[in-house]
Amino acid sequence: MTQETAAATTDAVLDREETISRDELEALQLSRLQHTVAYAYDRVPLYKRKFDEAGVHPTDLRELSDLAKFPFTTKEDLRLEYPFGMFAVPQSEVARIHASSGTTGRATVVGYTKKDLADWAKLVARSLRASGVRPGMKVHNAYGYGLFTGGMGAHAGAEALGCTVIPISGGQTERQITLIQDFKPDAILATPTYLLTIADAMIKQGIDPASTSLKYAVLGAEPWTEEMRHELETIMNLKACDIYGLSEVMGPGVAGEAVETQDGSHIWEDHFRPEIIDAFDPTVVLGDGEPGELVFTSLTKEALPIIRYRTKDLTRLLPGTARPAHRRMGRITGRSDDMIILRGVNLVPSQIEEIALRIPELSPHFQLELTRPGGTRMDQLTVKIERRDAVTIEGASAAARVLQQQIKIHVGSSCTVDVVEPGSLERSNGKLRRIYDMRPKG
Ligand code: DLL
């Protein structure tokens, strides 16, 4: 697609950086990257130490591919430098702090200067606009507010775009439904599984989720599939687009999907330089189109510059379409640390979602239980999945057999499928936990 047609497919005024050529973008990336590595080296002792140990210096970065010479940054680095060791500015210049929940260890803390917050809001605004949201629209923001970057990040972006923001946060689903009915928002921002919870609760109240005022949903913070998009768009009668991001790199809005193409999120490459590496041999940087682990380097951040951050998210880079200069990312198929290795076969929850949603008797509500039955050393996977409301017990057991076979064919794992009553599995309030690992520890 040429730049002119890309701009013509949208009625919105785009940022200049959204319409520049790839050459211009890469020149901008190089100068920003050179600045960022020098800035990080000069201001953050951890980067100085790591660069020195690796025998690289910021002046070695002469072209974009030189980035591969620099060491990676991991979540562990942020944890070791807890809380503020990786900040590149004095605390008095830090305008806001966010943190990850720290369910798997110490929280990771991230900080923003005033300029970082303005850039973040601009990129979320850009993402929302790409997904169909326009100034003047009412936006129901159901991402959690607080230390999680979702709520406040999405909020600031919607405000910057010129929307009327309804800051409901996550949870209190009944209240969400009342406000959707009374305030008549045009767009909803939520995790895909929480939107499903809302739709489900509407149906229980006798409200048709397709009858609301909602026309756009901008969904992220957890993996979701094309099948889930189809499910949500159908039951809610809206357009659902992806938004991607992570706290360590910024928060939501690192990448956003265009509603006219719905073909994956465009990474806003004027602010972030992405790479894909082999998750098992990180020295190998893979080419566009090849699947691997996503790595980001920030290009403009002041409080927390981040160099080659290993996201653990598995995806691939694709050429830009609706925003030609900005590469897209394929769907996140999963996280390398969410991968179940079952008798030598790798499996991520999205694979189950994809297969299950093609079976009409089965709902998108499922969880994966890993056990090691007594006396054996064999891991056992049980897929617990709710049947759809109108399905009979016989229909459900036939569907269970189909799911089991399909998982065997497409994933290569043998598992048990347990089709359960509608409404019996835990519902999402935000990021949904899919995996329940009940294997003995150690
Ligand atoms: O989840 C930021 C965010 C908030 C993104 C709201 C989008 C919307 P963290 O809590 O740091 O930040 O979690 C980041 O969530 O590494 C991915 O594994 C996952 N993730 C985020 N967006 C997507 C997405 C926020 N669109 C981690 N698709 C990331 C798949 C996603 N996974």
Side-chain angles (χ1 to χ4, degrees):
M1 208 188 283
T2 65
Q3 274 178 52
E4 290 72 29
T5 55
T9 54
T10 163
D11 55 337
V13 182
L14 304 183
D15 294 343
R16 201 190 86 77
E17 293 82 0
E18 283 176 89
T19 60
I20 60 180
S21 68
R22 182 74 201 170
D23 284 349
E24 205 184 333
L25 180 69
E26 288 194 351
L28 182 67
Q29 284 189 326
L30 181 59
S31 66
R32 288 182 167 178
L33 196 54
Q34 286 168 330
H35 167 78
T36 297
V37 289
Y39 177 87
Y41 185 81
D42 291 342
R43 291 179 174 234
V44 183
L46 175 113
Y47 283 123
K48 178 165 191 331
R49 197 168 65 238
K50 284 191 137 196
F51 290 11
D52 288 348
E53 275 166 18
V56 281
H57 188 266
T59 51
D60 295 332
L61 205 142
R62 289 187 204 93
E63 46 192 275
L64 287 172
S65 58
D66 291 331
L67 182 58
K69 298 176 183 158
F70 287 77
F72 293 109
T73 308
T74 62
K75 204 177 189 76
E76 200 44 39
D77 290 322
L78 275 110
R79 285 198 176 127
L80 290 173
E81 296 297 319
Y82 176 89
F84 306 138
M86 290 193 63
F87 286 12
V89 295
Q91 181 258 304
S92 56
E93 287 173 35
V94 177
R96 199 197 296 163
I97 282 166
H98 281 283
S100 75
S101 57
T103 41
T104 53
R106 228 183 213 180
T108 49
V109 178
V110 296
Y112 307 79
T113 62
K114 278 215 161 80
K115 178 180 176 294
D116 291 335
L117 290 177
D119 284 343
W120 184 14
K122 184 182 77 177
L123 293 180
V124 173
R126 193 190 278 183
S127 306
L128 297 178
R129 186 177 56 217
S131 302
V133 183
R134 291 289 174 273
M137 283 188 180
K138 279 173 278 176
V139 174
H140 180 103
N141 184 17
Y143 286 118
Y145 281 66
L147 286 172
F148 172 52
T149 53
M152 293 187 72
H155 181 111
E159 262 184 14
L161 183 58
C163 300
T164 307
V165 191
I166 303 156
I168 177 95
S169 192
Q172 293 192 287
T173 307
E174 307 292 297
R175 187 136 185 269
Q176 305 255 356
I177 296 172
T178 306
L179 295 194
I180 290 170
Q181 296 223 287
D182 295 349
F183 294 179
K184 304 198 174 11
D186 305 278
I188 185 161
L189 317 181
T191 64
T193 57
Y194 189 54
L195 187 57
L196 197 61
T197 301
I198 295 176
D200 223 39
M202 284 181 176
I203 295 169
K204 281 210 184 70
Q205 288 186 25
I207 300 164
D208 177 4
S211 70
T212 74
S213 56
L214 291 168
K215 291 184 278 297
Y216 302 99
V218 188
L219 311 175
E222 62 184 2
W224 58 304
T225 59
E226 281 306 311
E227 285 71 17
M228 182 71 108
R229 176 175 0 232
H230 181 253
E231 170 89 15
L232 288 167
E233 288 193 336
T234 311
I235 53 175
M236 299 211 67
N237 185 30
L238 45 67
K239 284 277 188 192
C241 285
D242 184 61
I243 184 165
Y244 169 86
L246 63 166
S247 335
E248 295 84 352
V249 174
M250 182 177 77
V254 171
E257 187 172 42
V259 69
E260 63 270 31
T261 44
Q262 289 192 308
D263 55 358
S265 284
H266 283 274
I267 297 168
W268 305 124
E269 287 203 61
D270 48 334
H271 292 267
F272 309 100
R273 171 77 185 175
E275 297 168 273
I276 295 283
I277 57 163
D278 182 332
F280 302 102
D281 180 2
T283 58
V284 180
V285 177
L286 298 168
D288 286 4
E290 295 187 75
E293 179 182 332
L294 187 56
V295 169
F296 280 110
T297 301
S298 68
L299 302 176
T300 50
K301 281 174 66 186
E302 293 180 338
L304 190 83
I306 196 110
I307 311 292
R308 304 196 83 204
Y309 184 72
R310 289 190 61 172
T311 65
K312 305 220 166 155
D313 289 327
L314 303 172
T315 185
R316 59 206 175 107
L317 293 176
L318 300 165
T321 52
R323 302 291 181 273
H326 300 260
R327 279 173 291 178
R328 285 166 302 142
M329 47 195 273
R331 275 205 183 272
I332 302 284
T333 50
R335 291 179 56 78
S336 55
D337 52 6
D338 241 12
M339 191 137 65
I340 297 171
I341 303 172
L342 196 67
R343 279 163 260 141
V345 177
N346 296 345
L347 184 157
V348 290
S350 288
Q351 290 171 290
I352 307 292
E353 181 175 296
E354 199 174 307
I355 298 170
L357 279 178
R358 291 196 200 125
I359 304 173
E361 291 81 7
L362 300 179
S363 80
H365 303 288
F366 71 92
Q367 64 191 40
L368 307 179
E369 274 181 16
L370 276 172
T371 51
R372 191 171 295 154
T376 68
R377 276 193 283 140
M378 291 281 262
D379 291 341
Q380 163 97 31
L381 172 69
T382 304
V383 180
K384 283 195 169 167
I385 185 160
E386 292 179 15
R387 61 178 168 82
R388 297 221 186 237
D389 273 327
V391 174
T392 59
I393 305 289
E394 298 74 53
S397 39
R401 283 194 296 279
V402 176
L403 180 58
Q404 197 176 22
Q405 282 162 4
Q406 293 292 311
I407 293 174
K408 179 79 197 161
I409 294 167
H410 295 289
V411 184
S413 307
S414 302
C415 64
T416 307
V417 174
D418 190 1
V419 179
V420 298
E421 285 298 292
S424 59
L425 297 180
E426 193 173 317
R427 289 293 185 265
S428 161
N429 263 341
K431 288 180 194 262
L432 180 65
R433 177 167 163 213
R434 292 276 195 204
I435 301 173
Y436 290 77
D437 190 345
M438 272 107 93
R439 290 173 297 185
K441 298 276 168 291

